[in-house]
PDB file of all heavy atoms in Angstrom:
ATOM      1  N   GLU A 278       1.991 -18.869  16.172  1.00 98.00           N
ATOM      2  CA  GLU A 278       2.615 -18.706  17.491  1.00 98.00           C
ATOM      3  C   GLU A 278       1.526 -18.817  18.646  1.00 98.00           C
ATOM      4  O   GLU A 278       1.796 -19.201  19.688  1.00 98.00           O
ATOM      5  CB  GLU A 278       3.322 -17.360  17.630  1.00 98.00           C
ATOM      6  CG  GLU A 278       4.543 -17.222  16.817  1.00 98.00           C
ATOM      7  CD  GLU A 278       5.076 -15.779  16.604  1.00 98.00           C
ATOM      8  OE1 GLU A 278       4.412 -14.896  17.278  1.00 98.00           O
ATOM      9  OE2 GLU A 278       5.966 -15.568  15.913  1.00 98.00           O
ATOM     10  N   LEU A 279       0.351 -18.333  18.338  1.00 98.00           N
ATOM     11  CA  LEU A 279      -0.704 -18.349  19.296  1.00 98.00           C
ATOM     12  C   LEU A 279      -1.429 -19.709  19.326  1.00 98.00           C
ATOM     13  O   LEU A 279      -2.397 -19.854  20.063  1.00 98.00           O
ATOM     14  CB  LEU A 279      -1.729 -17.227  18.968  1.00 98.00           C
ATOM     15  CG  LEU A 279      -1.186 -15.818  19.153  1.00 98.00           C
ATOM     16  CD1 LEU A 279      -2.168 -14.810  18.640  1.00 98.00           C
ATOM     17  CD2 LEU A 279      -0.949 -15.471  20.583  1.00 98.00           C
ATOM     18  N   GLY A 280      -0.974 -20.653  18.514  1.00 98.00           N
ATOM     19  CA  GLY A 280      -1.675 -21.917  18.449  1.00 98.00           C
ATOM     20  C   GLY A 280      -3.027 -21.907  17.753  1.00 98.00           C
ATOM     21  O   GLY A 280      -3.890 -22.736  17.891  1.00 98.00           O
ATOM     22  N   ALA A 281      -3.256 -20.846  16.931  1.00 98.00           N
ATOM     23  CA  ALA A 281      -4.559 -20.675  16.259  1.00 98.00           C
ATOM     24  C   ALA A 281      -4.327 -20.730  14.740  1.00 98.00           C
ATOM     25  O   ALA A 281      -5.168 -20.072  13.973  1.00 98.00           O
ATOM     26  CB  ALA A 281      -5.194 -19.362  16.698  1.00 98.00           C
ATOM     27  N   ASP A 282      -3.315 -21.466  14.245  1.00 96.00           N
ATOM     28  CA  ASP A 282      -3.007 -21.360  12.900  1.00 96.00           C
ATOM     29  C   ASP A 282      -4.153 -21.812  11.972  1.00 96.00           C
ATOM     30  O   ASP A 282      -4.293 -21.347  10.850  1.00 96.00           O
ATOM     31  CB  ASP A 282      -1.666 -22.106  12.564  1.00 96.00           C
ATOM     32  CG  ASP A 282      -1.466 -23.368  13.201  1.00 96.00           C
ATOM     33  OD1 ASP A 282      -2.193 -23.598  14.311  1.00 96.00           O
ATOM     34  OD2 ASP A 282      -0.729 -24.224  12.755  1.00 96.00           O
ATOM     35  N   GLN A 283      -4.917 -22.836  12.525  1.00 98.00           N
ATOM     36  CA  GLN A 283      -6.037 -23.359  11.644  1.00 98.00           C
ATOM     37  C   GLN A 283      -6.995 -22.255  11.242  1.00 98.00           C
ATOM     38  O   GLN A 283      -7.614 -22.299  10.203  1.00 98.00           O
ATOM     39  CB  GLN A 283      -6.810 -24.433  12.468  1.00 98.00           C
ATOM     40  CG  GLN A 283      -6.453 -25.750  12.145  1.00 98.00           C
ATOM     41  CD  GLN A 283      -7.404 -26.804  12.633  1.00 98.00           C
ATOM     42  OE1 GLN A 283      -8.152 -26.523  13.587  1.00 98.00           O
ATOM     43  NE2 GLN A 283      -7.408 -27.991  12.032  1.00 98.00           N
ATOM     44  N   ALA A 284      -7.206 -21.273  12.120  1.00 98.00           N
ATOM     45  CA  ALA A 284      -8.162 -20.239  11.872  1.00 98.00           C
ATOM     46  C   ALA A 284      -7.829 -19.482  10.600  1.00 98.00           C
ATOM     47  O   ALA A 284      -8.673 -18.882   9.979  1.00 98.00           O
ATOM     48  CB  ALA A 284      -8.268 -19.294  13.091  1.00 98.00           C
ATOM     49  N   LEU A 285      -6.528 -19.400  10.248  1.00 98.00           N
ATOM     50  CA  LEU A 285      -6.065 -18.620   9.128  1.00 98.00           C
ATOM     51  C   LEU A 285      -5.536 -19.447   7.962  1.00 98.00           C
ATOM     52  O   LEU A 285      -4.911 -18.827   7.096  1.00 98.00           O
ATOM     53  CB  LEU A 285      -5.045 -17.595   9.580  1.00 98.00           C
ATOM     54  CG  LEU A 285      -5.491 -16.553  10.628  1.00 98.00           C
ATOM     55  CD1 LEU A 285      -4.438 -15.594  10.937  1.00 98.00           C
ATOM     56  CD2 LEU A 285      -6.805 -15.864  10.190  1.00 98.00           C
ATOM     57  N   THR A 286      -5.806 -20.734   7.945  1.00 98.00           N
ATOM     58  CA  THR A 286      -5.190 -21.467   6.790  1.00 98.00           C
ATOM     59  C   THR A 286      -5.777 -20.916   5.499  1.00 98.00           C
ATOM     60  O   THR A 286      -5.179 -21.017   4.415  1.00 98.00           O
ATOM     61  CB  THR A 286      -5.457 -22.975   6.890  1.00 98.00           C
ATOM     62  OG1 THR A 286      -6.795 -23.165   7.354  1.00 98.00           O
ATOM     63  CG2 THR A 286      -4.532 -23.646   7.848  1.00 98.00           C
ATOM     64  N   PHE A 287      -7.069 -20.413   5.532  1.00 98.00           N
ATOM     65  CA  PHE A 287      -7.617 -19.851   4.359  1.00 98.00           C
ATOM     66  C   PHE A 287      -6.726 -18.728   3.731  1.00 98.00           C
ATOM     67  O   PHE A 287      -6.750 -18.519   2.482  1.00 98.00           O
ATOM     68  CB  PHE A 287      -9.053 -19.362   4.500  1.00 98.00           C
ATOM     69  CG  PHE A 287      -9.153 -18.041   5.268  1.00 98.00           C
ATOM     70  CD1 PHE A 287      -9.312 -16.880   4.542  1.00 98.00           C
ATOM     71  CD2 PHE A 287      -9.139 -17.978   6.624  1.00 98.00           C
ATOM     72  CE1 PHE A 287      -9.400 -15.619   5.214  1.00 98.00           C
ATOM     73  CE2 PHE A 287      -9.231 -16.792   7.290  1.00 98.00           C
ATOM     74  CZ  PHE A 287      -9.341 -15.605   6.593  1.00 98.00           C
ATOM     75  N   LEU A 288      -5.969 -18.024   4.597  1.00 98.00           N
ATOM     76  CA  LEU A 288      -5.132 -16.970   4.048  1.00 98.00           C
ATOM     77  C   LEU A 288      -4.019 -17.528   3.166  1.00 98.00           C
ATOM     78  O   LEU A 288      -3.497 -16.797   2.306  1.00 98.00           O
ATOM     79  CB  LEU A 288      -4.595 -16.085   5.178  1.00 98.00           C
ATOM     80  CG  LEU A 288      -5.622 -15.137   5.804  1.00 98.00           C
ATOM     81  CD1 LEU A 288      -4.887 -14.342   6.953  1.00 98.00           C
ATOM     82  CD2 LEU A 288      -6.187 -14.173   4.815  1.00 98.00           C
ATOM     83  N   ARG A 289      -3.611 -18.771   3.436  1.00 98.00           N
ATOM     84  CA  ARG A 289      -2.583 -19.420   2.561  1.00 98.00           C
ATOM     85  C   ARG A 289      -3.154 -19.473   1.140  1.00 98.00           C
ATOM     86  O   ARG A 289      -2.433 -19.227   0.152  1.00 98.00           O
ATOM     87  CB  ARG A 289      -2.324 -20.791   3.104  1.00 98.00           C
ATOM     88  CG  ARG A 289      -0.911 -21.243   2.962  1.00 98.00           C
ATOM     89  CD  ARG A 289      -0.692 -22.494   3.890  1.00 98.00           C
ATOM     90  NE  ARG A 289      -0.379 -22.143   5.205  1.00 98.00           N
ATOM     91  CZ  ARG A 289       0.903 -21.786   5.581  1.00 98.00           C
ATOM     92  NH1 ARG A 289       1.892 -21.783   4.724  1.00 98.00           N
ATOM     93  NH2 ARG A 289       1.144 -21.525   6.874  1.00 98.00           N
ATOM     94  N   GLU A 290      -4.426 -19.837   1.026  1.00 98.00           N
ATOM     95  CA  GLU A 290      -5.070 -19.995  -0.183  1.00 98.00           C
ATOM     96  C   GLU A 290      -5.219 -18.586  -0.817  1.00 98.00           C
ATOM     97  O   GLU A 290      -5.050 -18.401  -2.108  1.00 98.00           O
ATOM     98  CB  GLU A 290      -6.444 -20.644  -0.045  1.00 98.00           C
ATOM     99  CG  GLU A 290      -7.025 -21.273  -1.294  1.00 98.00           C
ATOM    100  CD  GLU A 290      -5.934 -22.188  -2.012  1.00 98.00           C
ATOM    101  OE1 GLU A 290      -5.311 -23.027  -1.271  1.00 98.00           O
ATOM    102  OE2 GLU A 290      -5.838 -22.075  -3.245  1.00 98.00           O
ATOM    103  N   VAL A 291      -5.606 -17.539  -0.048  1.00 98.00           N
ATOM    104  CA  VAL A 291      -5.687 -16.226  -0.552  1.00 98.00           C
ATOM    105  C   VAL A 291      -4.331 -15.790  -1.188  1.00 98.00           C
ATOM    106  O   VAL A 291      -4.322 -15.153  -2.286  1.00 98.00           O
ATOM    107  CB  VAL A 291      -6.048 -15.233   0.598  1.00 98.00           C
ATOM    108  CG1 VAL A 291      -5.891 -13.784   0.234  1.00 98.00           C
ATOM    109  CG2 VAL A 291      -7.590 -15.498   1.027  1.00 98.00           C
TER     110      VAL A 291
END
Side-chain angles (χ1 to χ4, degrees):
E278 288 167 5
L279 293 169
D282 43 338
Q283 261 196 337
L285 297 187
T286 43
F287 75 97
L288 286 179
R289 215 167 273 278
E290 201 51 46
V291 166

